[in-house]
Amino acid sequence: MCGIVAYIGSKEAYPILIKGLHRLEYRGYDSAGVAILNKELHVYKCKGKVAELEKHTLKKEVSGTIGIGHTRWATHGAPNDVNAHPHFSQTKNLVIIHNGIIENYATIKKELQKRGHKFHSDTDTEVLIHLIEDIYVNERVELAEAVRQALTEVIGAYAIVVLSKDNPDELIAAKKSSPLVIGVGKGEYFVASDATPIIEYTKDVVYLEDEQIAVIPRKGKLQIKTIRNKVKPPYIQTLELKLEALEKGGYPHFMLKEIYEQPRSIRDSMRGRLVPKEGKVNLGGIKEYERKIINAKRIVIVACGTSWHAGLVGEYLFEDLARIPVEVEYASEFRYRNPIIGEDDVVIAISQSGETADTLAAIELAKSKGATIIGICNVVGSTIPRTTHAGSYTHAGPEIGVASTKAFTAQITVLTLMALRIARKKGSISESRYFELINELDQIPAKVEKVLKKNDEVKKLAKIFKDVKNFLYLGRGYAFPVALEGALKLKEISYIHAEGYPAAEMKHGPIALIDENMPVVVIATKGTSYEKVASNIQEVKARKGKIIAIVTERDKNVKQHADYVIEIPETDEILVPLISVVPLQLLAYHIAVLRGCNVDQPRNLAKSVTVE
Ligand code: G6P
């Protein structure tokens, strides 16, 4: 989603802003822009990628040591040059960049229009900067005070940076329900919507809290106050993020790099937590809440997208091992349907980014009803982990490709550890089964490594199927969420329509779609439903569908009926999602590349969905 980067210091701002915008590209966007102040306020913006913006500014004046930059993901108004940020105020003395949505912008706009304000774009953002200027000019207050007063009038979400021609030595930033982080360098400051554009310059950062305003000076100390005018001393944290983690490391795309990172990211998710020799699973982050989980009347998992699919695996795990009833909810549905939730419920919120607006709202709702909230997030220091009572980070490292891959397997790893820990504490799992599972979990990174060796086989399949219009993905039990995830990966990045279905449910609808042009990917690994899935395969074959089966090594039965097979190592049934999703990620990746799609930044999608 929209990205923010800003700089104030003694260096040239433009290269820092452009580099920062490139780093933010992964969030998904459709236009980009910068504003640089050097006596004059120069604003350049255009539809399309940051590279277009660079072309656009080639022979333009871009020098200056203070500036702001933005990548926009359209909400109010089409993605075009005019709606792109930054936006000017009425007099063109102020400019703003904004992430989020000002919900009452239409009312404010009408008022301002009555007072002679003229608007050029369809955006809510332009309204906000006009409002700020209106206060600034009419109330004759300092800029930060004008921003503060304006923000008391708006309803909605914002992360903003304001730059003013009259104040060449300061930036004003503020946030509510949309993240904003300030990098504290030596004699310079950076502002960004996440830490990725900052870490190559400084690791010292301040995360602004909701309804805080920062006055960021060229020289001197950062000042923070709330929109209720309370001064807050800045809390500087040191990030551990490494720059290499944000780069492609020789891979053609971030997505492929991240698929290949999975043996390591799964291992990192277990590091220090799974100690097979001692028969231990430790999750320090939830220790104080273990009793609460064990005694929970119910666990409700809230999430969106891929994280919701991980949640489904979590449902199977917790019910199977810990014998606690689980419901998995789309956060966006949960938050608006007056759910029955109370003090005996434990809510597990799963989110890669830790910023998803719907998941955050679902958490707030459940919290207000007295439920205990446990987070499973990847981005350290993001909003969700700061909002939950307790939680466990996934430690997958930064995920840049919009289509989630390593975050999904890391989420499942953490869910597996949690379910095992709780089950053992509760006594709902036998010792032998517990040891069997922890030893097998320890083998998973090596097994994923083996699956990655199938890359060329998967690529061959991609060549065969790259031009089809539809795909069906089937699985049962633990493999059902994997079928959903496989289908989601394909549609996200290749734009081929794909559906995931429980294999047996196919006969209640999707079977009508099957003909000789329909590829059907079936996860048919060894386990309780193996025979049943084999029968589902026969049903597809009888209608001439093309079967691509993911099978366990040395499988004989399914192989006879499938058109194509990818073998994966044998593992315990409950751990199958961790390895069976890998060939499906690779299949989606290769098909998308062969179709010439932008794999890392698919059209219309955003990495971090900070609006509802
Ligand atoms: C977006 C991303 C998905 C992600 C979903 C939930 O749609 O493109 O990859 O699964 O948001 O995001 P979260 O950060 O909460 O896991």
Side-chain angles (χ1 to χ4, degrees):
M1 247 172 209
C2 303
I4 281 179
V5 59
Y7 175 78
I8 180 166
S10 53
K11 296 192 190 116
E12 279 299 302
Y14 178 80
I16 295 173
L17 298 180
I18 290 293
K19 201 165 187 192
L21 292 180
H22 278 300
R23 293 242 185 258
L24 291 170
E25 285 192 296
Y26 78 95
R27 294 166 71 98
Y29 70 105
D30 35 51
S31 57
V34 289
I36 294 165
L37 177 63
N38 192 357
K39 294 197 184 77
E40 288 308 310
L41 201 42
H42 296 287
V43 172
Y44 307 108
K45 52 187 194 171
C46 61
K47 185 178 175 208
K49 296 290 170 193
V50 178
E52 319 271 330
L53 178 68
E54 286 179 90
K55 267 192 226 147
H56 180 67
T57 51
L58 260 185
K59 296 206 170 109
K60 304 265 169 51
E61 177 55 56
V62 293
S63 64
T65 52
I66 178 168
I68 59 180
H70 192 261
T71 47
R72 172 175 187 255
W73 188 82
T75 56
H76 291 69
N80 58 29
D81 297 356
V82 179
N83 289 331
H85 298 208
H87 286 284
F88 272 122
S89 62
Q90 176 83 357
T91 63
K92 296 202 171 343
N93 279 337
L94 305 182
V95 272
I96 190 171
I97 48 176
H98 166 220
N99 289 359
I101 294 177
I102 306 298
E103 289 168 14
N104 58 338
Y105 82 104
T107 325
I108 301 173
K109 190 171 183 176
K110 267 194 207 137
E111 280 304 312
L112 290 169
Q113 276 167 332
K114 277 192 214 152
R115 302 226 289 273
H117 283 257
K118 296 253 172 320
F119 293 93
H120 305 281
S121 75
D122 309 313
T123 64
D124 49 340
T125 306
E126 193 186 11
V127 176
L128 180 57
I129 194 66
H130 277 241
L131 176 64
I132 293 171
E133 183 169 73
D134 198 65
I135 298 169
Y136 183 51
V137 172
N138 293 317
E139 305 286 325
R140 294 167 193 258
V141 288
E142 289 195 341
L143 182 59
E145 175 58 15
V147 171
R148 189 191 71 77
Q149 289 186 22
L151 293 179
T152 58
E153 288 185 38
V154 304
I155 300 171
Y158 53 80
I160 56 167
V161 186
V162 177
L163 169 61
S164 149
K165 219 168 149 180
D166 304 339
N167 300 276
D169 295 323
E170 72 178 25
L171 289 170
I172 311 289
K175 82 139 236 157
K176 184 184 176 194
S177 308
S178 192
L180 205 61
V181 50
I182 301 171
V184 184
K186 289 205 173 71
E188 58 187 359
Y189 289 100
F190 305 81
V191 188
S193 39
D194 65 51
T196 48
I198 297 179
I199 57 150
E200 56 198 288
Y201 309 105
T202 176
K203 299 239 153 81
D204 292 337
V205 297
V206 175
Y207 283 95
L208 275 195
E209 299 281 330
D210 273 355
E211 300 198 327
Q212 285 186 346
I213 302 170
V215 179
I216 307 161
R218 190 182 293 276
K219 287 196 183 106
K221 288 221 168 93
L222 182 66
Q223 289 165 35
I224 297 177
K225 62 176 166 188
T226 68
I227 67 166
R228 313 272 158 242
N229 236 340
K230 268 204 185 134
V231 175
K232 297 268 167 185
Y235 168 56
I236 301 181
Q237 310 182 27
T238 305
L239 289 176
E240 280 171 19
L241 207 61
K242 291 207 178 75
L243 189 60
E244 308 85 82
L246 302 176
E247 299 188 328
K248 284 189 203 146
Y251 287 89
H253 298 98
F254 281 110
M255 183 179 176
L256 190 63
K257 174 185 174 232
E258 287 158 7
I259 292 173
Y260 270 85
E261 272 173 357
Q262 288 176 109
R264 182 200 55 73
S265 53
I266 294 173
R267 176 65 67 207
D268 285 348
S269 302
M270 303 194 289
R271 197 177 305 285
R273 295 169 168 174
L274 177 73
V275 195
K277 273 192 206 126
E278 297 171 25
K280 280 195 183 141
V281 173
N282 302 310
L283 283 165
I286 61 160
K287 212 163 184 344
E288 281 176 44
Y289 286 84
E290 274 173 9
R291 275 285 130 211
K292 196 91 199 171
I293 306 177
I294 290 168
N295 297 327
K297 196 171 79 200
R298 184 176 63 138
I299 293 175
V300 179
I301 299 181
V302 292
C304 303
T306 289
S307 299
W308 185 82
H309 294 158
L312 284 181
V313 179
E315 175 182 25
Y316 289 41
L317 286 164
F318 271 96
E319 293 204 341
D320 204 355
L321 305 177
R323 309 303 293 151
I324 303 172
V326 182
E327 278 168 35
V328 189
E329 299 262 8
Y330 286 113
S332 53
E333 287 298 313
F334 178 83
R335 64 181 288 196
Y336 284 121
R337 60 167 186 77
N338 195 13
I340 300 167
I341 186 125
E343 287 172 12
D344 298 335
D345 293 315
V346 168
V347 170
I348 300 181
I350 309 175
S351 173
Q352 187 285 128
S353 62
E355 302 293 351
T356 304
D358 283 319
T359 309
L360 203 49
I363 291 172
E364 297 291 1
L365 175 70
K367 224 171 154 184
S368 72
K369 308 262 181 201
T372 298
I373 322 288
I374 306 289
I376 297 181
C377 294
N378 194 38
V379 178
V380 177
S382 56
T383 310
I384 293 177
R386 288 186 283 137
T387 317
T388 48
H389 292 112
S392 299
Y393 281 114
T394 42
H395 298 309
E399 190 179 67
I400 308 289
V402 164
S404 186
T405 51
K406 64 173 179 172
F408 177 70
T409 44
Q411 288 163 344
I412 295 176
T413 306
V414 171
L415 283 161
T416 310
L417 292 171
M418 255 185 210
L420 279 166
R421 167 92 193 170
I422 298 297
R424 189 163 196 225
K425 281 241 140 187
K426 190 179 168 188
S428 56
I429 188 169
S430 70
E431 282 294 281
S432 59
R433 180 76 178 126
Y434 172 82
F435 279 97
E436 192 174 83
L437 283 172
I438 61 169
N439 287 324
E440 188 54 29
L441 189 55
D442 193 43
Q443 300 303 311
I444 291 294
K447 293 192 176 177
V448 170
E449 196 83 64
K450 255 183 128 178
V451 179
L452 290 169
K453 300 227 160 74
K454 303 280 167 168
N455 184 43
D456 287 344
E457 280 179 45
V458 179
K459 203 165 167 182
K460 276 187 202 145
L461 283 180
K463 282 189 186 141
I464 301 170
F465 291 105
K466 72 177 175 40
D467 294 319
V468 302
K469 300 253 176 312
N470 295 291
F471 251 93
L472 190 61
Y473 287 72
L474 302 176
R476 286 183 93 142
Y478 282 93
F480 162 53
V482 178
L484 294 181
E485 177 59 10
L488 179 66
K489 283 296 85 87
L490 187 72
K491 65 187 145 203
E492 280 179 315
I493 59 169
S494 75
Y495 319 137
I496 294 176
H497 170 250
E499 273 192 71
Y501 243 77
E505 190 66 17
M506 172 188 66
K507 52 184 149 327
H508 301 289
I511 201 163
L513 301 171
I514 292 172
D515 62 14
E516 65 280 9
N517 300 316
M518 181 69 141
V520 183
V521 178
V522 190
I523 301 128
T525 45
K526 292 269 164 58
T528 338
S529 314
Y530 176 74
E531 300 297 340
K532 303 221 179 280
V533 175
S535 312
N536 298 139
I537 288 176
Q538 305 267 22
E539 288 160 11
V540 174
K541 279 319 297 171
R543 287 155 187 90
K544 302 203 172 67
K546 296 276 176 297
I547 294 283
I548 302 166
I550 310 298
V551 300
T552 310
E553 268 168 359
R554 295 181 290 280
D555 175 278
K556 289 210 175 74
N557 181 13
V558 166
K559 252 189 189 164
Q560 291 168 22
H561 307 290
D563 297 276
Y564 308 92
V565 291
I566 300 288
E567 288 191 352
I568 62 172
E570 187 161 5
T571 187
D572 195 283
E573 188 172 1
I574 80 159
L575 302 176
V576 157
L578 286 168
I579 58 173
S580 58
V581 75
V582 178
L584 308 191
Q585 295 166 341
L586 286 170
L587 183 64
Y589 170 79
H590 288 300
I591 291 181
V593 170
L594 290 167
R595 287 165 71 90
C597 299
N598 186 341
V599 173
D600 284 334
Q601 293 154 38
R603 69 182 181 207
N604 306 338
L605 294 180
K607 180 74 186 156
S608 164
V609 181
T610 48
V611 295
E612 65 169 284

